[in-house]
Amino acid sequence: MPSILHDRKRQSQSYVAPIMPRDLSSNLSIPLVPWILLLLLLLLHLPGAARAAFDYGDALSKSLLYFEAQRSGHLPYNQRVAWRDHSGLTDGLEQGVDLVGGYYDAGDQVKFGLPMAFTITMLSWSVIEYSEEIAASGEIGHALGAIKWGTDYFIKAHTHPNVLWTQVGDGDTDHYCWQRPEDMTTSRQAYRIDADHPGSEVAGETAAAMAAASIVFRTSNPHYSHLLLHHARQLFEFGDKYRGRYDRSVGPAKNYYPSVSGYGDELLWAALWLHRATGREEYLEYVVDNAFRFGGAAWAISEFSWDIKHAGLQVLASKLLMEEGGFHLKEKHRRRLEQYRSKAEHYLCSCLNKNSNGSNVRRTPGGLLYVRHWNNMQYVTGASFLLTAFSGYLAKSNQDLHCPRGSLGPEGLLLLAKSQADYILGANPMGISYLVGFGPKFPTRVHHRAASSVSYKEDKAFIGCAQGFDKWFGRQKENPNVLVGAVVGGPDAKDVFRDVRWNYMQTEACTYNTAPLVGVFAKLARFEGRRQQQLLEGVHPPISSC
């Protein structure tokens, strides 16, 4: 049996809590050329098909479909991914709690609470910012369904004010088996955090997810929104009162989703989302009073992920400051939020190659933001969302982004986000879409147990642990099932991608890769639709008109 043991610490293994801005030096070969001109030059060297406008509405639809392929539990009657079936129906039984449902994080069958919660937070943020655009694409029902599948599970998992079940399954045993989720014989041990075994990161992130989701459902389902907010407030109080790192309490999580950045960013993140959901000043006071203690207004970091939330909370804090010119804020709050915004701008400027101290995010020769070799696309999609969202904040407040190497208007940020989305969709040196199922060429050997094995609905014959490796993992053919909407790990620093199943650094997809793109594709779909209409009318719109 081939050994494919791997862990998610790959995604933050080189992270060191910084005092000064993180040094991620740029490798642009022509650093003095304005970045917009450089992007245009890169596009001129791509095949004509790749330069054509992409169907962002179709990309949005496919992105939301992916989450149905990742479902655990009893699948609903309207399940669209037909090659999946019910799974994990006894989760939590040994511990006397119902933990059926939720999402598998990637190509395996473990339900990890921290990345699942981050996925729901980002899906909710996408809907909060772009609900009209998602609705215009006919996808609002699917977006709400994707969020609710996660929040329904969190409600089950939060069995007591100070108890949260954070994981089902054991990564070690799971990764030594290659089975469909419908055939699982691996451990379904469930793990929890409580007052004696704290886990502030996962409590904080789950609180953030439920608070953000409560905003999403506020109009369409007020009772459910209130229930989510009730759980969110309890979880935040629990995570803050009993502070501690969750991977010290839940040992099996440490080899897969370790908390390298600590819990301070999650607690600030949760407090910000609770403030947005409730309007209560106590949560804003928490964000202000703990700004430096937890690094929110102190750390200038050039990455954003399921573990490292600083850039996201800094952008969210900036939104509060930029709304109505910040005049509704107390002076104490406004001053502190200005410090959050300064660090948010460092992150955005580093993505735009506009910092002057060498702390810019690297780029591949094809123009892709490049942070780390293992599942780099998670950083690209997260950056694309934050650039898109901040572009909108700038436009609404009639402001520009001021970086050490020049200023940019809202259109500059959206241009970079669009270039990253286009790279993902096929405008790249290999001419391949890293969004599975989109376009004529995409990864066909995704590192995913269910997609790479015959559908349970087609053949219910049991697939054993070792049998799956022999019959399905090791085969050279394409996967029998297309994991539509999944965003794989992506190419290396030289834009090279190897579409082989064992190459999990590049071919495994994760829920938190796709979630941020829901908002990005929704925004770009509206922009492209308006642009096409204006071109038909003989008007040449600037990108800022979106």
Side-chain angles (χ1 to χ4, degrees), residues 267-296:
L267 290 177
L268 293 172
W269 178 243
L272 269 176
W273 279 114
L274 280 164
H275 177 260
R276 295 210 70 84
T278 66
R280 297 183 61 159
E281 189 171 292
E282 64 189 86
Y283 295 115
L284 180 57
E285 285 283 347
Y286 186 94
V287 172
V288 167
D289 293 343
N290 292 285
F292 286 91
R293 180 179 184 179
F294 290 154

Side-chain angles (χ1 to χ4, degrees), residues 502-539:
W502 57 262
N503 183 21
Y504 47 79
M505 289 188 184
Q506 294 189 324
T507 62
E508 189 170 22
C510 302
T511 56
Y512 44 87
N513 292 13
T514 296
L517 286 179
V518 169
V520 176
F521 288 148
K523 175 76 171 181
L524 293 177
R526 184 177 78 163
F527 161 67
E528 189 61 29
R530 286 186 175 182
R531 191 181 74 87
Q532 293 295 338
Q533 181 61 36
Q534 290 176 316
L535 288 175
L536 288 173
E537 296 171 355
V539 179

Side-chain angles (χ1 to χ4, degrees), residues 248-514:
R248 293 175 180 169
S249 297
V250 183
K254 192 168 187 177
N255 287 335
Y256 299 91
Y257 286 100
S259 176
V260 179
S261 67
Y263 54 74
D265 49 341
E266 278 86 8
L267 290 177
L268 293 172
W269 178 243
L272 269 176
W273 279 114
L274 280 164
H275 177 260
R276 295 210 70 84
T278 66
R280 297 183 61 159
E281 189 171 292
E282 64 189 86
Y283 295 115
L284 180 57
E285 285 283 347
Y286 186 94
V287 172
V288 167
D289 293 343
N290 292 285
F292 286 91
R293 180 179 184 179
F294 290 154
W299 291 3
I301 298 175
S302 297
E303 63 183 83
F304 174 56
S305 70
W306 58 264
D307 177 26
I308 304 170
K309 311 288 177 14
H310 296 86
L313 71 90
Q314 289 158 359
V315 166
L316 191 61
S318 300
K319 179 181 182 180
L320 179 61
L321 178 68
M322 297 163 77
E323 289 171 331
E324 302 174 15
F327 296 118
H328 60 298
L329 298 168
K330 293 180 179 179
E331 181 63 19
K332 168 190 172 182
H333 297 161
R334 189 187 61 77
R335 288 199 308 268
R336 186 68 79 224
L337 290 174
E338 288 281 6
Q339 293 171 312
Y340 275 97
R341 179 176 177 176
S342 173
K343 298 305 183 292
E345 291 178 343
H346 169 89
Y347 172 81
L348 298 164
C349 293
S350 71
C351 293
L352 291 157
N353 195 37
K354 288 289 184 178
N355 281 332
S356 59
N357 59 357
S359 59
N360 293 311
V361 179
R362 292 181 294 163
R363 309 270 183 98
T364 67
L368 183 71
L369 295 172
Y370 195 80
V371 175
R372 196 164 287 116
H373 70 289
W374 205 323
N375 190 20
N376 181 65
M377 279 301 181
Q378 66 170 315
Y379 307 107
V380 177
T381 62
S384 298
F385 179 87
L386 295 184
L387 286 160
T388 302
F390 203 86
S391 171
Y393 306 157
L394 289 173
K396 289 178 182 178
S397 59
N398 195 29
Q399 298 181 42
D400 290 338
L401 172 66
H402 301 290
C403 299
R405 293 177 54 195
S407 299
L408 290 168
E411 64 279 1
L413 281 71
L414 193 58
L415 263 175
L416 179 57
K418 182 178 183 298
S419 77
Q420 299 304 294
D422 288 351
Y423 186 107
I424 291 170
L425 295 179
N428 56 67
M430 294 198 69
I432 184 173
S433 168
Y434 294 107
L435 182 75
V436 178
F438 185 89
K441 183 181 179 183
F442 51 82
T444 59
R445 297 170 182 83
V446 181
H447 183 93
H448 191 274
R449 286 159 176 75
S452 66
S453 306
V454 64
S455 170
Y456 182 79
K457 291 186 175 181
E458 180 180 333
D459 184 354
K460 290 183 171 59
F462 177 75
I463 298 176
C465 187
Q467 179 188 1
F469 276 113
D470 295 337
K471 188 171 182 179
W472 298 105
F473 176 78
R475 70 201 293 263
Q476 300 301 312
K477 295 180 180 179
E478 298 177 352
N479 288 354
N481 308 300
V482 180
L483 193 63
V484 175
V487 175
V488 297
D492 64 17
K494 296 183 180 179
D495 299 297
V496 176
F497 177 80
R498 296 185 64 195
D499 185 18
V500 289
R501 201 168 293 113
W502 57 262
N503 183 21
Y504 47 79
M505 289 188 184
Q506 294 189 324
T507 62
E508 189 170 22
C510 302
T511 56
Y512 44 87
N513 292 13
T514 296

Side-chain angles (χ1 to χ4, degrees), residues 126-153:
S126 291
V127 174
I128 290 167
E129 296 290 349
Y130 306 111
S131 59
E132 292 183 6
E133 292 85 343
I134 295 171
S137 295
E139 293 294 333
I140 193 65
H142 294 138
L144 297 185
I147 294 169
K148 193 171 186 294
W149 193 267
T151 52
D152 282 352
Y153 175 77

Side-chain angles (χ1 to χ4, degrees), residues 132-201:
E132 292 183 6
E133 292 85 343
I134 295 171
S137 295
E139 293 294 333
I140 193 65
H142 294 138
L144 297 185
I147 294 169
K148 193 171 186 294
W149 193 267
T151 52
D152 282 352
Y153 175 77
F154 296 149
I155 291 171
K156 290 182 176 184
H158 185 213
T159 55
H160 180 276
N162 295 337
V163 174
L164 177 66
W165 294 86
T166 63
Q167 182 172 321
V168 179
D170 174 14
D172 290 348
T173 59
D174 185 274
H175 285 185
Y176 275 117
C177 281
W178 197 264
Q179 288 179 296
R180 301 173 299 196
E182 296 84 0
D183 291 323
M184 279 189 292
T185 58
T186 51
S187 170
R188 301 308 289 170
Q189 173 73 35
Y191 303 87
R192 75 181 205 177
I193 57 170
D194 53 38
D196 296 323
H197 308 89
S200 298
E201 299 93 340

